[in-house]
Amino acid sequence: MKIVKNAVAGTLESSDAYVQVEPNEAGIEIVLESVVLTQFGDDIKASVMEVLAENEVTNAKVSVNDRGAIDCTIRARVETALKRAQGDL
Amino acid sequence: MSKLIGSIREAIEACGLKDGMTISFHHHMRNGDYVLNMVLDEIAKMGIKNITVNASSVFDTHAPIIDHIKNGVVTGLECNYMGAKVGKAISEGVMENPVIFRSHGGRPSDMEKGTSHIDVAFVAAPTADNRGNMTGKYGKSACGSMGYAFADAYNADKVVCITDNLVEYPVVGFSIPEVYVDHVVVVDKIGEPSGIVSGTTKITKDPVGLKMAQYAAKVVKASGLLKDGFSFQTGAGGATLAAAKYIKEMMLEDNIKGSFGMGGITKYMVEMLNEGCFKALIDVQCFDLDAVESIKNNPNHMEVSASQYAGVNGSAVNSLDVVLLGATQVDLDFNVNVHTDSNGYIMGGSGGHADTAAGSKLAIIIAPLVRARLPLIVDRVTCITTPGHTVDVVVTQRGIAVNPNRPELKEKLVKAGLPVVEIDELKAIAEKITGVPKPIKLDESKVVAKVLYRDGTVIDTIKKVVTE
């Protein structure tokens, strides 16, 4: 999947996450803010990387502002943002 | 003889306030209070240092105290509750000496025992006369009950009444009598009346909250305590208020005549009084303006001191059947934390939590199993506010855990068809949804607060947070 434009998914409500995807020249860049950074920061980054790999994204900047979303929510928001960023949706 | 004095500064001078002394405040003006900031600003201008502030609660509106701490004007802080703004600064280590937390019952009891000494009490009074009789029931800043101020007035060496509604002697229906008061100061405004209304005094519409509330009401019914003579306390949280509504419906349906409702009083408790659910309300503090109106007009709505409400040596909490309480964390031993958030920052305090749990026949904790990916149930709470042996039931939307020291209660709840599970099962259900959280890091070498249990013993300490 090629990221061609900026796109977002999600909200800043408690228990949700706001995900922004932008085109990137070289590789993957993840920026994470989270209310549970200490408790789940590594897990969230790992999940984002997995969703990127599943969608064969190799160049993208992904910014996640997490308000305490559970794992399936994080994955769903990232996936939707990626799809929007390639122009399908 | 008139005790009127020209200004707060003159009152401070007349009381002989000096470096190293302890001053006190009550929190009936809640987040609308002006008095604590006014007095501290004056003390700072006068060059007095090293003051300990004993305030029954510290709210966000009191954030200017952080600068007074940095400047060495305030070097000690004691309270029963601390809002998140000042709590953050304290958690990050702004003050050298640890904060002393007490409960609403522990604070007056420690003053009575002499283990907590107040040199000068500054008492915000919505109405007063020139000899110091005061009440919270009238005036533009009316707050209703002045329950937390009694201990300060009775026990402090010097008492300054600060009012924005001076009336002709005598104040009719006074709460605190003139005999305890040394000086009376008139100011433009002691606070913002809209600020005394707590932000959470509305029944929740959240389906999770309503489900927990229904479970809690069914627990009360199944316990067998819901009968004539029933006594009840609930906080102002949305889910606990919803539980109160269900309990009210059951009482009206079965024509149960209760004894008393207690606590911080909201309009929902006032409605229960007016509809005959209780003979009386025992009111240490009014949470909304409906409660203020009621305590003014209804003799069955009674003002009590914090000592009579929750004091250690026999108080109304010991006559309480059921209390509904909240929690930020509960651990496998049923210990409850309402002092710190999940990252270790101070954002609350016992209030009457520990007192009512200890005194009541049935202490029910109501809390969602997961909040923003964090499980309610942990191996060990970050801070023990209320010891587990005083907590009977934990109600979540996914199940109800009963303290193993109450096997007979567990049997009743199971018989009533309630979803009773072990507390470690609740933890497992939550972690299946959230994953297992990594522990937070705290600076174990630096204690920023000591938590005193209601008997005055240290029940836990709060450590400094580690900032990047």
Side-chain angles (χ1 to χ4, degrees), chain B residues 173-203:
Chain B
F174 60 83
S175 298
I176 292 171
E178 60 186 296
V179 293
Y180 295 103
V181 178
D182 296 282
H183 305 286
V184 178
V185 181
V186 180
V187 296
D188 288 342
K189 265 184 128 180
I190 58 169
E192 190 53 53
S194 63
I196 78 161
V197 181
S198 174
T200 49
T201 54
K202 278 204 170 68
I203 288 182

PDB file of all heavy atoms in Angstrom, chain B residues 173-203:
ATOM      1  N   GLY B 173     -30.569  31.410  63.787  1.00  0.00           N
ATOM      2  CA  GLY B 173     -30.246  30.071  63.311  1.00  0.00           C
ATOM      3  C   GLY B 173     -28.774  29.918  63.004  1.00  0.00           C
ATOM      4  O   GLY B 173     -28.392  29.259  62.039  1.00  0.00           O
ATOM      5  N   PHE B 174     -27.921  30.518  63.874  1.00  0.00           N
ATOM      6  CA  PHE B 174     -26.482  30.423  63.632  1.00  0.00           C
ATOM      7  C   PHE B 174     -26.001  28.974  63.707  1.00  0.00           C
ATOM      8  O   PHE B 174     -26.610  28.128  64.346  1.00  0.00           O
ATOM      9  CB  PHE B 174     -25.709  31.272  64.654  1.00  0.00           C
ATOM     10  CG  PHE B 174     -25.936  30.848  66.073  1.00  0.00           C
ATOM     11  CD1 PHE B 174     -25.216  29.793  66.610  1.00  0.00           C
ATOM     12  CD2 PHE B 174     -26.893  31.478  66.861  1.00  0.00           C
ATOM     13  CE1 PHE B 174     -25.431  29.373  67.911  1.00  0.00           C
ATOM     14  CE2 PHE B 174     -27.125  31.060  68.157  1.00  0.00           C
ATOM     15  CZ  PHE B 174     -26.398  30.002  68.684  1.00  0.00           C
ATOM     16  N   SER B 175     -24.877  28.693  63.051  1.00  0.00           N
ATOM     17  CA  SER B 175     -24.235  27.378  63.126  1.00  0.00           C
ATOM     18  C   SER B 175     -23.100  27.415  64.144  1.00  0.00           C
ATOM     19  O   SER B 175     -23.041  26.608  65.053  1.00  0.00           O
ATOM     20  CB  SER B 175     -23.665  26.986  61.771  1.00  0.00           C
ATOM     21  OG  SER B 175     -24.689  26.875  60.826  1.00  0.00           O
ATOM     22  N   ILE B 176     -22.186  28.350  63.939  1.00  0.00           N
ATOM     23  CA  ILE B 176     -21.047  28.482  64.850  1.00  0.00           C
ATOM     24  C   ILE B 176     -21.301  29.699  65.722  1.00  0.00           C
ATOM     25  O   ILE B 176     -21.541  30.798  65.204  1.00  0.00           O
ATOM     26  CB  ILE B 176     -19.734  28.614  64.050  1.00  0.00           C
ATOM     27  CG1 ILE B 176     -19.453  27.281  63.341  1.00  0.00           C
ATOM     28  CG2 ILE B 176     -18.569  29.009  64.962  1.00  0.00           C
ATOM     29  CD1 ILE B 176     -18.321  27.308  62.353  1.00  0.00           C
ATOM     30  N   PRO B 177     -21.282  29.521  67.039  1.00  0.00           N
ATOM     31  CA  PRO B 177     -21.627  30.638  67.936  1.00  0.00           C
ATOM     32  C   PRO B 177     -20.453  31.570  68.206  1.00  0.00           C
ATOM     33  O   PRO B 177     -19.297  31.187  68.093  1.00  0.00           O
ATOM     34  CB  PRO B 177     -22.056  29.923  69.217  1.00  0.00           C
ATOM     35  CG  PRO B 177     -21.341  28.619  69.195  1.00  0.00           C
ATOM     36  CD  PRO B 177     -21.104  28.253  67.751  1.00  0.00           C
ATOM     37  N   GLU B 178     -20.794  32.773  68.580  1.00  0.00           N
ATOM     38  CA  GLU B 178     -19.820  33.850  68.792  1.00  0.00           C
ATOM     39  C   GLU B 178     -18.744  33.516  69.812  1.00  0.00           C
ATOM     40  O   GLU B 178     -17.642  34.048  69.739  1.00  0.00           O
ATOM     41  CB  GLU B 178     -20.570  35.117  69.237  1.00  0.00           C
ATOM     42  CG  GLU B 178     -21.360  34.937  70.527  1.00  0.00           C
ATOM     43  CD  GLU B 178     -22.214  36.167  70.859  1.00  0.00           C
ATOM     44  OE1 GLU B 178     -21.640  37.239  71.094  1.00  0.00           O
ATOM     45  OE2 GLU B 178     -23.454  36.042  70.879  1.00  0.00           O
ATOM     46  N   VAL B 179     -19.070  32.622  70.757  1.00  0.00           N
ATOM     47  CA  VAL B 179     -18.122  32.379  71.857  1.00  0.00           C
ATOM     48  C   VAL B 179     -16.777  31.850  71.365  1.00  0.00           C
ATOM     49  O   VAL B 179     -15.778  31.943  72.063  1.00  0.00           O
ATOM     50  CB  VAL B 179     -18.706  31.398  72.897  1.00  0.00           C
ATOM     51  CG1 VAL B 179     -19.884  32.034  73.601  1.00  0.00           C
ATOM     52  CG2 VAL B 179     -19.103  30.074  72.273  1.00  0.00           C
ATOM     53  N   TYR B 180     -16.755  31.288  70.160  1.00  0.00           N
ATOM     54  CA  TYR B 180     -15.494  30.742  69.642  1.00  0.00           C
ATOM     55  C   TYR B 180     -14.730  31.727  68.768  1.00  0.00           C
ATOM     56  O   TYR B 180     -13.653  31.423  68.290  1.00  0.00           O
ATOM     57  CB  TYR B 180     -15.784  29.476  68.812  1.00  0.00           C
ATOM     58  CG  TYR B 180     -16.355  28.351  69.633  1.00  0.00           C
ATOM     59  CD1 TYR B 180     -17.713  28.046  69.590  1.00  0.00           C
ATOM     60  CD2 TYR B 180     -15.534  27.610  70.472  1.00  0.00           C
ATOM     61  CE1 TYR B 180     -18.236  27.026  70.351  1.00  0.00           C
ATOM     62  CE2 TYR B 180     -16.052  26.581  71.242  1.00  0.00           C
ATOM     63  CZ  TYR B 180     -17.405  26.296  71.183  1.00  0.00           C
ATOM     64  OH  TYR B 180     -17.915  25.288  71.950  1.00  0.00           O
ATOM     65  N   VAL B 181     -15.332  32.890  68.498  1.00  0.00           N
ATOM     66  CA  VAL B 181     -14.802  33.766  67.457  1.00  0.00           C
ATOM     67  C   VAL B 181     -14.093  34.982  68.056  1.00  0.00           C
ATOM     68  O   VAL B 181     -14.604  35.622  68.969  1.00  0.00           O
ATOM     69  CB  VAL B 181     -15.943  34.219  66.511  1.00  0.00           C
ATOM     70  CG1 VAL B 181     -15.413  35.173  65.440  1.00  0.00           C
ATOM     71  CG2 VAL B 181     -16.604  33.005  65.874  1.00  0.00           C
ATOM     72  N   ASP B 182     -12.892  35.299  67.529  1.00  0.00           N
ATOM     73  CA  ASP B 182     -12.115  36.423  68.037  1.00  0.00           C
ATOM     74  C   ASP B 182     -12.297  37.690  67.207  1.00  0.00           C
ATOM     75  O   ASP B 182     -12.334  38.775  67.747  1.00  0.00           O
ATOM     76  CB  ASP B 182     -10.633  36.043  68.066  1.00  0.00           C
ATOM     77  CG  ASP B 182     -10.378  34.902  69.022  1.00  0.00           C
ATOM     78  OD1 ASP B 182     -10.342  35.153  70.238  1.00  0.00           O
ATOM     79  OD2 ASP B 182     -10.259  33.744  68.557  1.00  0.00           O
ATOM     80  N   HIS B 183     -12.338  37.538  65.893  1.00  0.00           N
ATOM     81  CA  HIS B 183     -12.427  38.715  65.027  1.00  0.00           C
ATOM     82  C   HIS B 183     -13.386  38.449  63.865  1.00  0.00           C
ATOM     83  O   HIS B 183     -13.513  37.315  63.406  1.00  0.00           O
ATOM     84  CB  HIS B 183     -11.048  39.076  64.445  1.00  0.00           C
ATOM     85  CG  HIS B 183     -10.001  39.266  65.498  1.00  0.00           C
ATOM     86  ND1 HIS B 183      -9.957  40.369  66.315  1.00  0.00           N
ATOM     87  CD2 HIS B 183      -8.974  38.458  65.888  1.00  0.00           C
ATOM     88  CE1 HIS B 183      -8.934  40.254  67.162  1.00  0.00           C
ATOM     89  NE2 HIS B 183      -8.321  39.100  66.923  1.00  0.00           N
ATOM     90  N   VAL B 184     -14.023  39.524  63.403  1.00  0.00           N
ATOM     91  CA  VAL B 184     -14.907  39.431  62.237  1.00  0.00           C
ATOM     92  C   VAL B 184     -14.417  40.434  61.191  1.00  0.00           C
ATOM     93  O   VAL B 184     -14.229  41.605  61.500  1.00  0.00           O
ATOM     94  CB  VAL B 184     -16.373  39.743  62.611  1.00  0.00           C
ATOM     95  CG1 VAL B 184     -17.262  39.682  61.367  1.00  0.00           C
ATOM     96  CG2 VAL B 184     -16.868  38.777  63.685  1.00  0.00           C
ATOM     97  N   VAL B 185     -14.202  39.924  59.965  1.00  0.00           N
ATOM     98  CA  VAL B 185     -13.766  40.793  58.865  1.00  0.00           C
ATOM     99  C   VAL B 185     -14.824  40.751  57.766  1.00  0.00           C
ATOM    100  O   VAL B 185     -15.324  39.680  57.427  1.00  0.00           O
ATOM    101  CB  VAL B 185     -12.422  40.305  58.267  1.00  0.00           C
ATOM    102  CG1 VAL B 185     -11.965  41.239  57.147  1.00  0.00           C
ATOM    103  CG2 VAL B 185     -11.352  40.193  59.335  1.00  0.00           C
ATOM    104  N   VAL B 186     -15.144  41.915  57.228  1.00  0.00           N
ATOM    105  CA  VAL B 186     -16.072  41.968  56.099  1.00  0.00           C
ATOM    106  C   VAL B 186     -15.283  42.189  54.812  1.00  0.00           C
ATOM    107  O   VAL B 186     -14.426  43.069  54.753  1.00  0.00           O
ATOM    108  CB  VAL B 186     -17.111  43.104  56.285  1.00  0.00           C
ATOM    109  CG1 VAL B 186     -18.068  43.153  55.100  1.00  0.00           C
ATOM    110  CG2 VAL B 186     -17.881  42.898  57.583  1.00  0.00           C
ATOM    111  N   VAL B 187     -15.548  41.354  53.816  1.00  0.00           N
ATOM    112  CA  VAL B 187     -14.908  41.498  52.497  1.00  0.00           C
ATOM    113  C   VAL B 187     -16.008  41.588  51.433  1.00  0.00           C
ATOM    114  O   VAL B 187     -17.186  41.320  51.721  1.00  0.00           O
ATOM    115  CB  VAL B 187     -13.963  40.303  52.182  1.00  0.00           C
ATOM    116  CG1 VAL B 187     -12.807  40.259  53.169  1.00  0.00           C
ATOM    117  CG2 VAL B 187     -14.731  38.984  52.169  1.00  0.00           C
ATOM    118  N   ASP B 188     -15.624  41.948  50.211  1.00  0.00           N
ATOM    119  CA  ASP B 188     -16.626  42.072  49.134  1.00  0.00           C
ATOM    120  C   ASP B 188     -17.263  40.726  48.811  1.00  0.00           C
ATOM    121  O   ASP B 188     -18.473  40.607  48.671  1.00  0.00           O
ATOM    122  CB  ASP B 188     -15.979  42.630  47.861  1.00  0.00           C
ATOM    123  CG  ASP B 188     -15.637  44.104  48.012  1.00  0.00           C
ATOM    124  OD1 ASP B 188     -16.202  44.731  48.935  1.00  0.00           O
ATOM    125  OD2 ASP B 188     -14.801  44.593  47.228  1.00  0.00           O
ATOM    126  N   LYS B 189     -16.420  39.714  48.667  1.00  0.00           N
ATOM    127  CA  LYS B 189     -16.923  38.408  48.235  1.00  0.00           C
ATOM    128  C   LYS B 189     -16.067  37.309  48.855  1.00  0.00           C
ATOM    129  O   LYS B 189     -14.833  37.362  48.755  1.00  0.00           O
ATOM    130  CB  LYS B 189     -16.800  38.288  46.700  1.00  0.00           C
ATOM    131  CG  LYS B 189     -18.058  38.656  45.944  1.00  0.00           C
ATOM    132  CD  LYS B 189     -17.870  38.406  44.453  1.00  0.00           C
ATOM    133  CE  LYS B 189     -19.019  37.551  43.926  1.00  0.00           C
ATOM    134  NZ  LYS B 189     -18.902  37.266  42.487  1.00  0.00           N
ATOM    135  N   ILE B 190     -16.678  36.329  49.481  1.00  0.00           N
ATOM    136  CA  ILE B 190     -15.909  35.195  50.004  1.00  0.00           C
ATOM    137  C   ILE B 190     -15.804  34.073  48.958  1.00  0.00           C
ATOM    138  O   ILE B 190     -15.019  33.154  49.108  1.00  0.00           O
ATOM    139  CB  ILE B 190     -16.516  34.625  51.303  1.00  0.00           C
ATOM    140  CG1 ILE B 190     -17.960  34.167  51.108  1.00  0.00           C
ATOM    141  CG2 ILE B 190     -16.387  35.627  52.443  1.00  0.00           C
ATOM    142  CD1 ILE B 190     -18.513  33.368  52.276  1.00  0.00           C
ATOM    143  N   GLY B 191     -16.607  34.177  47.901  1.00  0.00           N
ATOM    144  CA  GLY B 191     -16.511  33.124  46.890  1.00  0.00           C
ATOM    145  C   GLY B 191     -17.531  33.296  45.801  1.00  0.00           C
ATOM    146  O   GLY B 191     -18.311  34.252  45.793  1.00  0.00           O
ATOM    147  N   GLU B 192     -17.483  32.358  44.889  1.00  0.00           N
ATOM    148  CA  GLU B 192     -18.361  32.360  43.725  1.00  0.00           C
ATOM    149  C   GLU B 192     -19.410  31.269  43.947  1.00  0.00           C
ATOM    150  O   GLU B 192     -19.073  30.084  43.916  1.00  0.00           O
ATOM    151  CB  GLU B 192     -17.514  32.045  42.490  1.00  0.00           C
ATOM    152  CG  GLU B 192     -18.210  32.225  41.173  1.00  0.00           C
ATOM    153  CD  GLU B 192     -18.828  33.600  41.035  1.00  0.00           C
ATOM    154  OE1 GLU B 192     -18.117  34.598  41.219  1.00  0.00           O
ATOM    155  OE2 GLU B 192     -20.042  33.661  40.756  1.00  0.00           O
ATOM    156  N   PRO B 193     -20.684  31.658  44.191  1.00  0.00           N
ATOM    157  CA  PRO B 193     -21.687  30.647  44.558  1.00  0.00           C
ATOM    158  C   PRO B 193     -21.790  29.487  43.546  1.00  0.00           C
ATOM    159  O   PRO B 193     -21.977  28.342  43.949  1.00  0.00           O
ATOM    160  CB  PRO B 193     -22.996  31.440  44.610  1.00  0.00           C
ATOM    161  CG  PRO B 193     -22.581  32.844  44.843  1.00  0.00           C
ATOM    162  CD  PRO B 193     -21.240  33.013  44.215  1.00  0.00           C
ATOM    163  N   SER B 194     -21.627  29.774  42.248  1.00  0.00           N
ATOM    164  CA  SER B 194     -21.746  28.696  41.261  1.00  0.00           C
ATOM    165  C   SER B 194     -20.657  27.649  41.466  1.00  0.00           C
ATOM    166  O   SER B 194     -20.815  26.489  41.104  1.00  0.00           O
ATOM    167  CB  SER B 194     -21.664  29.264  39.847  1.00  0.00           C
ATOM    168  OG  SER B 194     -20.414  29.861  39.647  1.00  0.00           O
ATOM    169  N   GLY B 195     -19.541  28.052  42.077  1.00  0.00           N
ATOM    170  CA  GLY B 195     -18.430  27.132  42.286  1.00  0.00           C
ATOM    171  C   GLY B 195     -18.685  26.102  43.364  1.00  0.00           C
ATOM    172  O   GLY B 195     -17.973  25.099  43.439  1.00  0.00           O
ATOM    173  N   ILE B 196     -19.681  26.325  44.222  1.00  0.00           N
ATOM    174  CA  ILE B 196     -19.912  25.348  45.299  1.00  0.00           C
ATOM    175  C   ILE B 196     -20.623  24.114  44.769  1.00  0.00           C
ATOM    176  O   ILE B 196     -20.657  23.078  45.412  1.00  0.00           O
ATOM    177  CB  ILE B 196     -20.693  25.933  46.516  1.00  0.00           C
ATOM    178  CG1 ILE B 196     -22.188  26.053  46.241  1.00  0.00           C
ATOM    179  CG2 ILE B 196     -20.100  27.223  46.983  1.00  0.00           C
ATOM    180  CD1 ILE B 196     -22.999  26.177  47.498  1.00  0.00           C
ATOM    181  N   VAL B 197     -21.213  24.211  43.584  1.00  0.00           N
ATOM    182  CA  VAL B 197     -21.904  23.058  43.030  1.00  0.00           C
ATOM    183  C   VAL B 197     -20.871  22.131  42.388  1.00  0.00           C
ATOM    184  O   VAL B 197     -20.142  22.525  41.495  1.00  0.00           O
ATOM    185  CB  VAL B 197     -22.952  23.482  41.988  1.00  0.00           C
ATOM    186  CG1 VAL B 197     -23.673  22.267  41.429  1.00  0.00           C
ATOM    187  CG2 VAL B 197     -23.930  24.448  42.602  1.00  0.00           C
ATOM    188  N   SER B 198     -20.836  20.913  42.852  1.00  0.00           N
ATOM    189  CA  SER B 198     -19.895  19.941  42.312  1.00  0.00           C
ATOM    190  C   SER B 198     -20.266  19.618  40.872  1.00  0.00           C
ATOM    191  O   SER B 198     -21.435  19.608  40.504  1.00  0.00           O
ATOM    192  CB  SER B 198     -19.946  18.676  43.167  1.00  0.00           C
ATOM    193  OG  SER B 198     -19.154  17.679  42.596  1.00  0.00           O
ATOM    194  N   GLY B 199     -19.259  19.369  40.060  1.00  0.00           N
ATOM    195  CA  GLY B 199     -19.512  19.110  38.655  1.00  0.00           C
ATOM    196  C   GLY B 199     -20.171  17.773  38.379  1.00  0.00           C
ATOM    197  O   GLY B 199     -20.580  17.503  37.255  1.00  0.00           O
ATOM    198  N   THR B 200     -20.268  16.923  39.366  1.00  0.00           N
ATOM    199  CA  THR B 200     -20.689  15.548  39.106  1.00  0.00           C
ATOM    200  C   THR B 200     -22.054  15.211  39.699  1.00  0.00           C
ATOM    201  O   THR B 200     -22.406  14.062  39.796  1.00  0.00           O
ATOM    202  CB  THR B 200     -19.658  14.557  39.682  1.00  0.00           C
ATOM    203  OG1 THR B 200     -19.373  14.942  41.020  1.00  0.00           O
ATOM    204  CG2 THR B 200     -18.402  14.546  38.861  1.00  0.00           C
ATOM    205  N   THR B 201     -22.828  16.225  40.087  1.00  0.00           N
ATOM    206  CA  THR B 201     -24.079  15.903  40.753  1.00  0.00           C
ATOM    207  C   THR B 201     -25.229  15.701  39.764  1.00  0.00           C
ATOM    208  O   THR B 201     -26.302  16.234  39.925  1.00  0.00           O
ATOM    209  CB  THR B 201     -24.483  16.984  41.777  1.00  0.00           C
ATOM    210  OG1 THR B 201     -24.484  18.232  41.089  1.00  0.00           O
ATOM    211  CG2 THR B 201     -23.534  17.035  42.928  1.00  0.00           C
ATOM    212  N   LYS B 202     -24.981  14.926  38.728  1.00  0.00           N
ATOM    213  CA  LYS B 202     -26.051  14.571  37.789  1.00  0.00           C
ATOM    214  C   LYS B 202     -26.062  13.060  37.624  1.00  0.00           C
ATOM    215  O   LYS B 202     -25.014  12.429  37.569  1.00  0.00           O
ATOM    216  CB  LYS B 202     -25.789  15.234  36.439  1.00  0.00           C
ATOM    217  CG  LYS B 202     -26.244  16.669  36.363  1.00  0.00           C
ATOM    218  CD  LYS B 202     -26.507  17.087  34.907  1.00  0.00           C
ATOM    219  CE  LYS B 202     -27.192  18.423  34.823  1.00  0.00           C
ATOM    220  NZ  LYS B 202     -26.336  19.537  35.262  1.00  0.00           N
ATOM    221  N   ILE B 203     -27.261  12.505  37.501  1.00  0.00           N
ATOM    222  CA  ILE B 203     -27.378  11.070  37.287  1.00  0.00           C
ATOM    223  C   ILE B 203     -26.800  10.721  35.921  1.00  0.00           C
ATOM    224  O   ILE B 203     -27.061  11.407  34.939  1.00  0.00           O
ATOM    225  CB  ILE B 203     -28.854  10.632  37.392  1.00  0.00           C
ATOM    226  CG1 ILE B 203     -29.300  10.700  38.858  1.00  0.00           C
ATOM    227  CG2 ILE B 203     -29.057   9.231  36.835  1.00  0.00           C
ATOM    228  CD1 ILE B 203     -30.703  10.251  39.104  1.00  0.00           C
TER     229      ILE B 203
END
